[in-house]
Amino acid sequence: MTKAEIFEFFRRLAELDPDPRTELDYGNTYQLLVAVVLSAQATDVGVNKATRGLFAEVKTPQAMLDLGEAGLKQHIKTIGLFNAKAKNVIALSEILVREHGGEVPADRDALVELPGVGRKTANVVMNSAFGAETFAVDTHIFRVGNRTGLAPGKTPLAVEKQLEKKVPAPFRVGAHHWLILHGRYICKARTPECWRCPVADLCRYKPKTLAPKAKKAAA
């Protein structure tokens, strides 16, 4: 995509959703961090169901340590890989209490040092909690970046670097949310819903899918 096309791409997404946010439920930065760690290979809907009771009880790293690993598992046992995630959440909570005064650091390098926190998770927290211009490349953003021609790359990091270079200033904070939501609800993995896509004319994806009724008529 050209610079003008990229600007128009985000302008349209921003017009439709001026204040994009993560679909994970949380009440503070620590709860956001926990929710994002739990969301790996799980749906936001599933995580929100599991954390509803947990976050009513636990609002700080110390409260999580007081709950303990066994107690945490009871809350999150419906989430995939819950045993490993519980260990990571307890371990990162210990580090936050011991090394950061119980606060989540506003620093990506420090976040990545925490158990269970990779670059993507750190980018989400930096963006959603601290308003940083970071791009958390999940499967949706990786797909949308490559399929549309917006930010092609062979790895998530390559796509992230493309986005860092190409996304224009007015849209940098909201960009990863718009792309995730676009990939989740319109530019779907198996069958992108091109017929209702607001940026279809800017997209480099050639075999545009027709609306269900149009498909039947064509057949």
Side-chain angles (χ1 to χ4, degrees):
M1 284 190 195
T2 65
K3 283 186 178 181
E5 288 172 330
I6 291 172
F7 189 95
E8 179 63 14
F9 181 96
F10 283 108
R11 188 199 68 76
R12 293 183 195 176
L13 295 183
E15 186 176 52
L16 292 169
D17 185 6
D19 188 25
R21 298 175 184 271
T22 176
E23 293 187 314
L24 290 170
D25 295 333
Y26 64 96
N28 59 35
T29 303
Y30 172 67
Q31 290 181 340
L32 171 65
L33 174 61
V34 171
V36 180
V37 169
L38 295 178
S39 72
Q41 299 180 52
T43 66
D44 288 359
V45 171
V47 172
N48 289 340
K49 285 182 180 178
T51 58
R52 197 166 294 129
L54 174 65
F55 289 165
E57 184 178 345
V58 173
K59 295 177 173 59
T60 66
Q62 186 58 57
M64 187 68 77
L65 296 179
D66 293 341
L67 176 66
E69 187 176 325
L72 173 57
K73 286 180 180 179
Q74 286 303 306
H75 282 285
I76 67 169
K77 59 187 177 183
T78 56
I79 300 175
L81 307 175
F82 74 93
N83 284 313
K85 290 176 181 178
K87 288 184 187 300
N88 285 332
V89 168
I90 294 297
L92 71 84
S93 298
E94 289 174 344
I95 292 171
L96 290 178
V97 170
R98 185 173 69 246
E99 299 180 14
H100 299 284
E103 299 294 325
V104 177
D107 179 88
R108 183 165 62 187
D109 291 338
L111 287 170
V112 171
E113 291 295 316
L114 297 172
V117 179
R119 186 179 180 90
K120 184 184 77 172
T121 296
N123 280 341
V124 172
V125 173
M126 288 300 297
N127 180 276
S128 295
F130 304 115
E133 295 178 352
T134 54
F135 306 92
V137 179
D138 67 352
T139 55
H140 296 300
I141 293 185
F142 185 77
R143 180 175 67 256
V144 172
N146 279 286
R147 182 184 275 167
T148 63
L150 169 68
K154 292 184 177 179
T155 65
L157 183 58
V159 171
E160 180 184 334
K161 295 297 184 186
Q162 287 285 317
L163 291 170
E164 285 180 349
K165 185 164 61 174
K166 292 181 176 181
V167 177
F171 310 114
R172 293 181 69 82
V173 173
H176 101 260
H177 291 299
W178 285 312
L179 293 174
I180 286 172
L181 295 171
H182 189 65
R184 187 172 286 166
Y185 297 112
I186 295 178
C187 196
K188 299 176 181 178
R190 289 190 177 181
T191 308
E193 298 181 1
C194 303
W195 69 88
R196 65 183 192 92
C197 174
V199 291
D201 58 312
L202 303 171
C203 172
R204 296 296 187 262
Y205 184 64
K206 292 298 183 186
K208 297 287 197 294
T209 53
L210 301 173
K213 289 181 181 178
K215 282 182 183 176
K216 289 180 182 178

